[in-house]
C-alpha cells in the first residue's frame, strides 16, 4: 500500500522559520516533490529530492531521508504571501511514474 | 518558460450540457495529465497521455472523455455531468512519462460548477 502523512494545518509568525514534515510508506520510491498551492490557484513546483540530504533554494529548503521515509520543507524568513497549502508528493515508477500526493498542509502566516 | 495554459477559467454548466476544457503547453513536454481537485483535498489523477496516446485512465466515468489532438494540446470533453463533478480541473505536463526528473507543471485550472 501507499501512505503519505503530513500535518493538516500549521500556523507561524511572519519572519519566523517553519518546518513542514512529510512521512511516506510506498512500495516503490523514485523521488519526492514539494508543491505550493494558494487557494484557487494551481500547484507550483518548489523542490524535488531523490537523494538523501538537503536541497536549498533561497528561503526554501527540502530534506530527504530515504531510509526513514521522511522529508521536510523548511521555510525561512516567512512572509504573509507564504500562507498556502504545501503538498508533499512521491513519484513511484512501480506505478508508472504516478505522483502520489499527501493531503496537504495548510500554512497560515500571521503578522 | 514553464507555462501551462487552460481555458476557460470558470465554467458553469447544466447536467445535460456538453462542454470542453482546453489545455496547452509549449515546453516540448511529451506527457500531459488531467487532475480533479476538490476543496481542501490534493489533486486526484484522472488521465495521463504520453506521446499523444492515453497511458492511464484512473477508472474515470465515461462522461469525461479526454482527447490529445497533438503534443501541445489536451482537451477534456464533458457530457451529462453530475453536481458532484463540480471541482477544480487541473492540467499538467512533464518532460516524459516514466522518465527521470519528471517534474509536473500545472496550469491554473478550470473551476467547474455543475448545476
Amino acid at each position: 500500500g501507499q501512505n503519505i502523512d503530513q500535518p493538516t494545518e500549521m500556523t507561524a509568525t511572519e519572519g519566523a522559520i517553519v518546518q513542514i514534515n512529510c512521512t511516506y510508506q510506498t512500495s516503490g520510491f523514485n523521488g519526492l516533490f514539494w508543491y505550493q498551492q494558494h487557494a484557487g490557484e494551481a500547484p507550483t513546483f518548489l523542490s524535488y529530492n531523490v537523494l538523501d540530504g538537503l536541497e536549498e533554494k533561497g528561503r526554501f529548503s527540502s530534506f530527504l531521508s530515504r531510509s526513514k521515509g521522511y522529508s521536510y520543507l523548511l521555510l525561512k524568513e516567512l512572509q504573509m504571501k507564504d500562507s498556502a497549502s504545501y503538498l508533499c508528493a512521491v513519484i513511484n515508477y512501480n506505478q508508472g511514474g504516478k505522483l502520489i500526493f499527501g493531503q496537504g498542509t495548510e500554512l497560515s502566516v500571521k503578522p | 518558460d514553464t507555462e501551462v495554459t487552460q481555458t476557460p477559467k470558470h465554467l458553469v454548466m447544466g447536467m445535460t450540457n456538453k462542454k470542453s476544457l482546453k489545455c496547452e503547453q509549449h515546453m516540448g513536454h511529451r506527457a500531459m495529465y488531467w487532475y480533479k481537485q476538490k476543496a481542501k483535498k490534493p489533486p486526484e489523477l484522472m488521465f495521463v497521455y504520453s506521446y499523444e496516446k492515453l497511458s492511464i485512465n484512473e477508472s474515470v466515468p465515461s462522461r469525461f472523455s479526454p482527447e490529445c489532438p497533438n503534443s501541445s494540446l489536451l482537451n477534456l470533453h464533458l457530457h451529462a455531468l453530475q453536481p458532484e463533478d463540480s471541482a477544480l480541473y487541473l492540467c499538467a505536463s512533464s518532460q516524459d512519462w516514466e522518465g527521470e526528473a519528471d517534474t509536473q507543471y500545472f496550469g491554473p485550472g478550470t473551476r467547474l460548477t455543475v448545476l
Side-chain angles (χ1 to χ4, degrees):
Chain A
Q2 324 225 63
N3 195 37
I4 300 178
D5 282 320
Q6 46 181 137
T8 308
E9 294 176 334
M10 296 183 74
T11 302
T13 305
E14 195 176 12
I17 298 173
V18 72
Q19 178 174 310
I20 303 175
N21 295 326
C22 172
T23 57
Y24 63 88
Q25 292 173 301
T26 57
S27 56
F29 177 85
N30 293 95
L32 187 143
F33 292 86
W34 284 97
Y35 284 86
Q36 179 193 60
Q37 187 174 24
H38 287 99
E41 297 183 12
T44 305
F45 168 71
L46 291 177
S47 67
Y48 170 66
N49 293 69
V50 64
L51 299 175
D52 286 358
L54 188 68
E55 297 274 346
E56 295 186 76
K57 254 191 210 181
R59 293 190 300 114
F60 291 8
S61 303
S62 57
F63 171 83
L64 177 68
S65 168
R66 292 177 68 135
S67 61
K68 294 182 178 165
Y70 168 68
S71 173
Y72 67 73
L73 181 70
L74 193 71
L75 292 76
K76 300 177 191 171
E77 299 167 21
L78 279 173
Q79 302 175 9
M80 299 298 288
K81 67 178 182 180
D82 297 329
S83 293
S85 181
Y86 290 86
L87 296 159
C88 170
V90 170
I91 195 160
N92 179 357
Y93 290 126
N94 286 349
Q95 293 209 348
K98 277 173 59 173
L99 267 183
I100 312 298
F101 283 94
Q103 290 299 303
T105 298
E106 193 71 37
L107 174 66
S108 296
V109 179
K110 308 234 181 272
Chain B
D1 181 14
T2 55
E3 190 178 29
V4 178
T5 59
Q6 290 186 244
T7 55
K9 199 174 170 72
H10 299 277
L11 178 63
V12 179
M13 60 187 289
M15 289 191 283
T16 58
N17 292 158
K18 280 186 183 180
K19 297 285 183 184
S20 296
L21 310 185
K22 296 186 184 302
C23 174
E24 191 166 3
Q25 57 87 15
H26 293 288
M27 296 177 276
H29 288 173
R30 306 312 301 224
M32 295 186 77
Y33 311 76
W34 280 114
Y35 287 86
K36 172 183 176 180
Q37 187 176 28
K38 292 280 213 180
K40 300 202 181 294
K41 296 287 187 186
E44 295 174 40
L45 183 65
M46 300 174 73
F47 302 104
V48 181
Y49 272 82
S50 177
Y51 290 84
E52 300 161 48
K53 289 189 173 16
L54 184 64
S55 291
I56 287 190
N57 175 342
E58 290 284 285
S59 303
V60 179
S62 60
R63 57 186 184 268
F64 295 91
S65 174
E67 178 199 16
C68 190
N70 61 54
S71 59
S72 300
L73 291 173
L74 187 65
N75 298 324
L76 186 63
H77 303 297
L78 314 173
H79 174 55
L81 294 194
Q82 304 296 311
E84 59 264 29
D85 296 322
S86 298
L88 182 68
Y89 287 84
L90 294 163
C91 174
S93 71
S94 66
Q95 191 73 33
D96 207 340
W97 172 245
E98 299 183 275
E100 293 185 8
D102 287 329
T103 300
Q104 292 184 26
Y105 296 95
F106 286 83
T110 294
R111 175 72 60 190
L112 174 68
T113 303
V114 182
L115 301 175

